[in-house]
Amino acid sequence: MTHAVVLGGGLTGMLTAAALKGRADRVTVLESDVLPDSPQPRRGLPQGHHNHMLMGGGAEAFDKLIPGTTELLYAAGAQRRGLPGDALALSPEGWFHRHPSEAYVLLCSRDLLDHVVRRQVLGDGTVELVGSAKVTGLTGDATKVTGVTYDGEDGPRTLEADFVVDATGRRSKSPQWLVDLGLPLVHEEYIDGGFAYASRVYQAPPGTPEDFPGVLLQAKTGTDQPGRGAALLPNENGRWIVTLFGTRGGEPPTDEEGFVRYARERDHPIIADLVDQAEPLSEIRAYRGMANRRLYFEKLPMPRNFVVLGDAFQALNPNHGTGMSVAAQSALVLRDLIDAHPFTPDLSRTVQAAIAKVSAGPWQLVLGTDQFFPGVKSNLKRPGNPSQLKMTARLARIATENAYVSNTLFRIGSLSARPSSMLSPAFIWAALRGPRRRLLTAEEAIAQFPEFGDLLTRGKALNKKN
Ligand SMILES: Cc1cc2nc3c(=O)[nH]c(=O)nc-3n(C[C@H](O)[C@H](O)[C@H](O)COP(=O)(O)OP(=O)(O)OC[C@H]3O[C@@H](n4cnc5c(N)ncnc54)[C@H](O)[C@@H]3O)c2cc1C
């Protein structure tokens, strides 16, 4: 009888439980929080107040792991938007042409997303969830994990396990737990641009069309100024979630006046014009502490029966929107490797190495941008150089006007394609040829989206009055 124990009942924990279901004889999830049984915020998920994009590549992994999940999300009001076809987007190099898009994102509140996944995983009662259970360590030795210790409602407990997955997120104690078993400390790389978020939920004005576009104003890298940007994403129930973001020295304010002013001072005031007409439904919430962290567990002589997944393995600056998708793709790899090597002694090392591969592309995407913000803190041995930044900027500029390049880059960014797809002859040719058209003005870019209807003209009229 195989007993698998998952540490942490967040998104990675639930996706991992889905991967283990039917493969281990018994699956237990230990979660320090109390998980709600409806789409509600919870203490252990403070990021739930901020905007979330589930990338197309992640959505596909969700459905492979738990068939029917995205259908349930759409039925509950989640929105699908093509990138950049269904979102007005300003990159650091200019406004995007509205190309028909192959890449897409699924948009909804994080509370809804987690609720639907949780219901799918726990609904049939085959996975046991133990709430208010704070994991405190691993049992076993440097060669083999045999279980975990935790503080539960009835005091300290030990739970035996044949396979343990750490999905406790960014603040995982696995590095120390492994040291306690006699392993060396895992090597960690970090890149911290000092990103800060401020977010607010709004009810869209009456008459807002169902297919209202998202608005993405990206932060500019590689200048001596902090990066600053803003995003407005349609969610379920006719809601918008607006997130303002800035890097060290450019953090968005959290008071009402400062919030709208920050939105208005971006390259274009469109988000401020839109929220002027919407009804605020929440407080303005801040979030900090979003550094990129990569822990090289695959380089350690990992003990048998133990794997680290999700943010506990690699936590990314959420501005890239890939954490949940990497978690889903990693859980899928775990599932497929268990099918190929059902709980064999070397399974955990094989899985850890495969997860490192899944995580590599998104880490490269981070390297291409985050290390170039002013005041960045990082321990990279080989930091990026200006030619890398120049190449990123050139490609971003071409992507604003070239549908093929735009689709390739957005498919890579949404984890539907590998970075190696930039090596296609068509992509290389477009990169060598460079931009061919002048940049769109803001007015031309906005005019591509009749879905904004009269909301923008109404917004301007309101501002003149005030
Ligand atoms: C502000 C913000 C915005 C984000 N936006 C996006 C986005 O747009 N797209 C995207 O893909 N990703 C986004 N992310 C990242 C995304 O939230 C994570 O990648 C995703 O939640 C997977 O995390 P996880 O389950 O590994 O960890 P977590 O979400 O941190 O979950 C860990 C779970 O473990 C529990 N836990 C912790 N310690 C213990 C313990 N000792 N014992 C028992 N339980 C424990 C916690 O209570 C929690 O439930 C965002 C993150 C932040 C902070």
Side-chain angles (χ1 to χ4, degrees), residues 18 65 72 89 101 116 120 189 194 196 208 326 365 397 415 428 451:
L65 279 166
L72 287 170
S101 304
V116 167
Q120 291 272 84
E189 271 181 359
T208 301
V326 177
L365 293 176
R397 168 68 181 88
L415 308 195
I428 292 172
E451 296 91 334

Side-chain angles (χ1 to χ4, degrees), residues 74-137:
Y74 289 128
Q79 306 282 314
R80 179 184 162 127
R81 294 290 184 271
L83 284 181
D86 301 325
L88 173 70
L90 174 67
S91 84
E93 302 306 317
W95 296 95
F96 275 88
H97 280 260
R98 190 174 190 182
H99 311 300
S101 304
E102 292 165 13
Y104 69 94
V105 287
L106 182 151
L107 304 174
C108 66
S109 68
R110 183 62 198 267
D111 296 338
L112 174 65
L113 191 136
D114 279 31
H115 171 69
V116 167
V117 169
R118 216 160 38 226
R119 210 178 48 192
Q120 291 272 84
V121 174
L122 301 176
D124 64 6
T126 57
V127 169
E128 186 192 354
L129 171 70
V130 185
S132 305
K134 183 171 182 199
V135 178
T136 51

Side-chain angles (χ1 to χ4, degrees), residues 7-14 30-33 35 42-48 50-55 110 114 133-136 150 167-173 177 197 233 287-290 309-312 314-327:
L7 318 183
L11 191 69
T12 305
M14 286 299 144
L30 299 176
E31 165 58 49
S32 54
D33 212 352
L35 298 180
R42 66 179 177 96
R43 202 175 37 123
L45 192 76
Q47 67 265 47
H50 300 268
N51 77 14
H52 276 76
M53 301 188 190
L54 177 63
M55 296 292 173
R110 183 62 198 267
D114 279 31
K134 183 171 182 199
V135 178
T136 51
Y150 69 94
T168 56
R170 211 177 245 282
R171 275 170 273 284
S172 157
K173 300 281 185 298
W177 294 340
Y197 272 21
L233 302 180
Y287 204 105
R288 301 220 176 171
M290 301 183 283
L309 231 93
D311 281 15
Q314 173 173 285
L316 298 172
N317 165 11
N319 213 238
H320 297 273
T322 47
M324 301 189 295
S325 297
V326 177

Side-chain angles (χ1 to χ4, degrees), residues 36-304:
D37 50 17
S38 60
Q40 293 295 323
R42 66 179 177 96
R43 202 175 37 123
L45 192 76
Q47 67 265 47
H49 298 292
H50 300 268
N51 77 14
H52 276 76
M53 301 188 190
L54 177 63
M55 296 292 173
E60 281 146 31
F62 270 50
D63 279 340
K64 284 186 190 151
L65 279 166
I66 321 169
T69 301
T70 59
E71 209 178 309
L72 287 170
L73 285 166
Y74 289 128
Q79 306 282 314
R80 179 184 162 127
R81 294 290 184 271
L83 284 181
D86 301 325
L88 173 70
L90 174 67
S91 84
E93 302 306 317
W95 296 95
F96 275 88
H97 280 260
R98 190 174 190 182
H99 311 300
S101 304
E102 292 165 13
Y104 69 94
V105 287
L106 182 151
L107 304 174
C108 66
S109 68
R110 183 62 198 267
D111 296 338
L112 174 65
L113 191 136
D114 279 31
H115 171 69
V116 167
V117 169
R118 216 160 38 226
R119 210 178 48 192
Q120 291 272 84
V121 174
L122 301 176
D124 64 6
T126 57
V127 169
E128 186 192 354
L129 171 70
V130 185
S132 305
K134 183 171 182 199
V135 178
T136 51
L138 303 170
T139 59
D141 58 35
T143 63
K144 188 174 169 192
V145 166
T146 55
V148 300
T149 54
Y150 69 94
D151 287 334
E153 278 179 340
D154 308 325
R157 303 281 297 266
T158 299
L159 188 63
E160 288 185 5
D162 304 290
F163 195 72
V164 176
V165 181
D166 177 13
T168 56
R170 211 177 245 282
R171 275 170 273 284
S172 157
K173 300 281 185 298
S174 270
Q176 184 56 45
W177 294 340
L178 289 172
V179 168
D180 294 343
L181 291 185
L183 273 89
L185 184 65
V186 64
H187 175 62
E188 176 186 337
E189 271 181 359
Y190 68 88
I191 312 165
D192 182 4
F195 260 83
Y197 272 21
S199 301
R200 191 169 213 187
V201 179
Y202 293 87
Q203 188 67 49
T208 301
E210 251 297 285
D211 56 354
F212 194 78
V215 183
L216 303 171
L217 308 177
Q218 293 175 358
K220 204 169 173 70
T221 39
T223 73
D224 57 0
Q225 291 301 309
R228 293 185 176 89
L232 180 154
L233 302 180
N235 273 201
E236 69 271 17
N237 301 326
R239 290 177 180 179
W240 292 339
I241 180 156
V242 172
T243 293
L244 310 179
F245 46 89
T247 65
R248 191 164 285 113
E251 297 86 351
T254 50
D255 63 290
E256 303 230 352
E257 206 191 311
F259 186 84
V260 177
R261 189 178 355 102
Y262 191 93
R264 189 161 298 291
E265 285 169 356
R266 303 286 48 83
D267 293 81
H268 194 276
I270 180 166
I271 293 183
D273 285 344
L274 289 168
V275 300
D276 263 349
Q277 303 162 72
E279 180 196 348
L281 295 179
S282 75
E283 298 166 31
I284 299 166
R285 312 250 191 186
Y287 204 105
R288 301 220 176 171
M290 301 183 283
N292 302 284
R293 285 180 70 216
R294 169 74 161 84
L295 292 119
Y296 287 85
F297 287 105
E298 78 280 14
K299 307 266 191 228
L300 284 182
M302 286 291 271
R304 276 160 58 179

